[in-house]
Amino acid sequence: MAGHSQFKNIMHRKGKVDAVRSKVFSKLAREITVAAKMGMPDPNMNPRLRAAILAARAENMPKDNIQRAINKASGGDAENYDEIRYEGYGPGGAAIIVEAMTDNRNRTASDIRSYFTKSGGNLAETGAVSFMFDRVGYIEFGPEAADADAVLEAAIDAGADDVVSSENGHEIYCDQGSLNEVTKALEDKFGEPKASKLVWKPQTPVAVDDETGEKLMKLMESLEEHDDVQSVYGNFELSEALMQKMAE
């Protein structure tokens, strides 16, 4: 399990999710508005909007907030956001990708650069580390959806490439072009997923020592908490002992 998933699981165990819920809602609303603005306001006709709504529901975002974000796009009063991908190296040389949505490129770039620098890493050019990741489809179900064998069998039948099941749930990976088809097939079997989106999956996760791992997780947390950052991915792997320690 590489950086992104480990970070998510640690934050979940620490109860961090509730502490930043209002910030999470703001980010989700921004993604919903941008997705609705770029395509149809109907999630059945707009895969990106549907993915954004799934993410919002998974965080228990109220229906009124979701609809308000969709209406904002069609109302013509939505802010214009640029989607930017930052790439850099964290402590220990770990590769990190940051996806942001901003109305002020200079401010966001300056902030992201400072986070990398303070951690002992450095922000690099776009393309510097993304070749170490694959852009793939990602579908997530909670542990209550089914057992690992049932999910694995259904995922293979649906055309998925990989399944990772744990006590926290099931993560299914597929070719980015098959995401909608695989999601629909699994949804018919297990109900609505917690997530269905495109992600950056590291090709070869790199194990890091615990001292470096702690620094990396601090950097990931700083980046995640920035208002303009939507997603953060890393190619590092933490030890089980450090994961336990950081989740306390």
Side-chain angles (χ1 to χ4, degrees), residues 7 115 217-227 229:
F7 174 79
Y115 291 154
M217 292 307 284
K218 280 181 185 169
L219 172 59
M220 295 281 279
E221 191 169 350
S222 296
L223 290 166
E224 282 271 4
E225 287 182 354
H226 192 283
D227 289 342
V229 172

Side-chain angles (χ1 to χ4, degrees), residues 40-53:
M40 299 279 289
D42 178 2
N44 294 316
M45 305 290 288
N46 183 338
R48 179 168 171 177
L49 176 58
R50 186 166 184 277
I53 292 172

Side-chain angles (χ1 to χ4, degrees), residues 67-172:
Q67 192 57 49
R68 202 177 305 126
I70 295 172
N71 294 344
K72 194 174 182 183
S74 53
D77 60 345
E79 299 91 338
N80 288 315
Y81 291 106
D82 292 327
E83 294 183 88
I84 310 171
R85 185 174 82 241
Y86 300 99
E87 301 182 26
Y89 298 94
I96 293 174
I97 292 177
V98 182
E99 292 181 324
M101 208 177 274
T102 179
D103 57 358
N104 186 326
R105 281 172 172 261
N106 291 338
R107 177 198 65 218
T108 307
S110 175
D111 290 348
I112 301 302
R113 182 176 290 105
S114 73
Y115 291 154
F116 273 93
T117 304
K118 285 174 187 171
S119 75
N122 65 284
L123 191 62
E125 296 293 318
T126 301
V129 304
S130 54
F131 70 92
M132 296 186 236
F133 295 75
D134 293 319
R135 188 68 164 160
V136 299
Y138 169 87
I139 305 148
E140 182 185 349
F141 287 93
E144 72 287 343
D147 62 40
D149 289 340
V151 172
L152 178 62
E153 185 179 344
I156 291 170
D157 289 344
D161 297 324
D162 191 20
V163 179
V164 179
S165 292
S166 69
E167 61 184 21
N168 299 306
H170 312 280
E171 299 180 338
I172 299 107

Side-chain angles (χ1 to χ4, degrees), residues 1-6 93-95 132-134 162 164 173 200-208 216 233-239:
M1 191 192 301
H4 172 66
S5 296
Q6 289 184 319
M132 296 186 236
F133 295 75
D134 293 319
D162 191 20
V164 179
Y173 296 91
W200 293 96
K201 185 184 181 194
Q203 293 165 0
T204 310
V206 180
V208 295
L216 282 163
Y233 305 94
N235 75 338
F236 59 91
E237 204 160 50
L238 306 179
S239 70

